[in-house]
Amino acid sequence: MIQFNIHRFGKLVRWSLTKDKRHYIKSFLQILVIMLLIFLFFTEMVNTNPVPNPQYNTCCLAIVCVFGVTLIMGPSFMFYSMEGKHDMQSLMILPASNFEKYLMRYATWIILIPLYVVAISAADLMQFLYHWVLGHDYGQFVIANLADTWSKIFESENASPNASKFWYASIVLGIWFHSIFALGATFFRSRKFNGVLSMLVIILIGILILWLTPDHSALQYGKDSSTPTFVWGNVIYISWILLNFWLSYRLFCRTQVIGKFVNL
């Protein structure tokens, strides 16, 4: 069977969106309610002094955390919409290649991103209307505050000669975490706890790296790190990332409806 066919993949996307509609609606409503409660709490309830002091920076941090967790841990959500063995059986017998099925399951977190954007924007609008109706002159949009904060951060970071190297290294490290969660999603059979188990693996790997490099040389990307060290370090991480995704796909192909704790 051809590994990828656009028409067959389109049918798989339509089937998956219909099958997982409840999961997406549930995720949208959860983020909407949680972010609205956070916005109202830190802009209204947390104030105990007579002078209003809304914590909009904390609200901005909550938004960053939501998207940060989704971008890094997204692959661990691959099978969250599957509630039992029947759903996995339905996926396995679909007339599509394993590669197409893996792409669709992996894309689950990507579909959540626009839903989260809409949910957070709606929650932000609700909190703004809340302050406007009550006549609070300190009410403002959290998203506007976040954009202003990010612009100030980038302006200050760009003034540093090592800013680009730091951001690049951070992105590579984030993608490496992302690949670990992709591998954990297909390695561990636990549908709800593969993210937690993958996090434990990352912590153990981090401890091992720190133990093998007590001078933290593997984590240094500052002005004292040489260009060859920086380049080879990123080559190792990128190779590791590709290996994690390849192993994740291979384990997905070996997935069994009834199996042990891991897919081996």
Side-chain angles (χ1 to χ4, degrees), residues 231-248:
V231 172
W232 278 110
N234 282 283
V235 168
I236 293 173
Y237 271 110
I238 292 174
S239 301
W240 198 346
I241 289 168
L242 296 177
L243 176 62
N244 287 336
F245 277 112
W246 180 80
L247 290 174
S248 176

Side-chain angles (χ1 to χ4, degrees), residues 180-241:
I180 292 291
F181 283 108
L183 177 57
T186 54
F187 179 76
F188 298 108
R189 293 190 56 83
S190 175
R191 180 176 59 91
K192 290 295 186 182
F193 299 103
N194 51 34
V196 176
L197 297 172
S198 301
M199 179 63 72
L200 293 177
V201 171
I202 291 175
I203 293 174
L204 292 176
I205 292 175
I207 294 175
L208 179 62
I209 292 175
L210 293 175
W211 179 68
L212 294 176
T213 57
D215 57 347
H216 309 299
S217 58
L219 304 177
Q220 289 179 356
Y221 290 95
K223 61 181 180 181
D224 296 330
S225 60
S226 61
T227 300
T229 302
F230 176 80
V231 172
W232 278 110
N234 282 283
V235 168
I236 293 173
Y237 271 110
I238 292 174
S239 301
W240 198 346
I241 289 168

Side-chain angles (χ1 to χ4, degrees), residues 158-172:
N158 290 334
S160 173
N162 295 312
S164 59
K165 186 180 290 188
F166 168 78
W167 284 110
Y168 178 77
S170 299
I171 292 173
V172 171

Side-chain angles (χ1 to χ4, degrees), residues 42-56 131 135-140:
F42 285 104
T43 61
E44 179 69 18
M45 306 301 180
V46 78
N47 294 324
T48 58
N49 299 323
V51 179
N53 184 28
Q55 302 295 323
Y56 277 98
H131 293 299
H136 299 161
D137 55 357
Y138 56 82
Q140 57 181 291

Side-chain angles (χ1 to χ4, degrees), residues 4-227:
F4 187 83
N5 180 280
I6 187 64
H7 299 291
R8 189 172 60 214
F9 183 70
K11 295 179 180 179
L12 177 62
V13 171
R14 289 193 297 269
W15 180 88
S16 299
L17 292 177
T18 302
K19 186 75 173 178
D20 300 341
K21 180 173 63 176
R22 179 182 175 185
H23 168 69
Y24 293 128
I25 294 176
K26 180 181 177 180
S27 300
F28 172 82
L29 294 177
Q30 285 178 338
I31 293 296
L32 175 64
V33 173
I34 291 174
M35 297 307 296
L36 178 60
L37 293 177
I38 290 176
F39 291 165
L40 292 180
F41 178 78
F42 285 104
T43 61
E44 179 69 18
M45 306 301 180
V46 78
N47 294 324
T48 58
N49 299 323
V51 179
N53 184 28
Q55 302 295 323
Y56 277 98
N57 289 334
T58 306
C59 297
C60 294
L61 180 61
I63 295 178
V64 173
C65 290
V66 168
F67 285 107
V69 169
T70 304
L71 291 173
I72 294 177
M73 297 183 62
S76 63
F77 305 150
M78 279 189 189
F79 307 107
Y80 266 43
S81 59
M82 296 185 174
E83 300 180 353
K85 298 177 182 179
H86 176 73
D87 290 340
M88 184 61 71
Q89 289 174 340
S90 299
L91 176 65
M92 291 294 103
I93 64 176
L94 286 175
S97 67
N98 287 330
F99 181 69
E100 293 166 345
K101 296 174 185 177
Y102 180 82
L103 283 182
M104 189 60 229
R105 297 321 306 172
Y106 173 81
T108 301
W109 73 273
I110 300 177
I111 299 173
L112 290 175
I113 293 294
L115 294 178
Y116 287 175
V117 171
V118 175
I120 292 175
S121 300
D124 191 18
L125 178 61
M126 290 179 185
Q127 71 84 23
F128 179 80
L129 292 176
Y130 169 83
H131 293 299
W132 178 73
V133 170
L134 295 182
H136 299 161
D137 55 357
Y138 56 82
Q140 57 181 291
F141 286 105
V142 178
I143 295 178
N145 191 284
L146 177 63
D148 183 63
T149 302
W150 270 111
S151 63
K152 293 179 180 178
I153 291 176
F154 278 109
E155 288 177 2
S156 61
E157 289 291 340
N158 290 334
S160 173
N162 295 312
S164 59
K165 186 180 290 188
F166 168 78
W167 284 110
Y168 178 77
S170 299
I171 292 173
V172 171
L173 186 61
I175 297 175
W176 178 74
F177 286 155
H178 185 87
S179 68
I180 292 291
F181 283 108
L183 177 57
T186 54
F187 179 76
F188 298 108
R189 293 190 56 83
S190 175
R191 180 176 59 91
K192 290 295 186 182
F193 299 103
N194 51 34
V196 176
L197 297 172
S198 301
M199 179 63 72
L200 293 177
V201 171
I202 291 175
I203 293 174
L204 292 176
I205 292 175
I207 294 175
L208 179 62
I209 292 175
L210 293 175
W211 179 68
L212 294 176
T213 57
D215 57 347
H216 309 299
S217 58
L219 304 177
Q220 289 179 356
Y221 290 95
K223 61 181 180 181
D224 296 330
S225 60
S226 61
T227 300

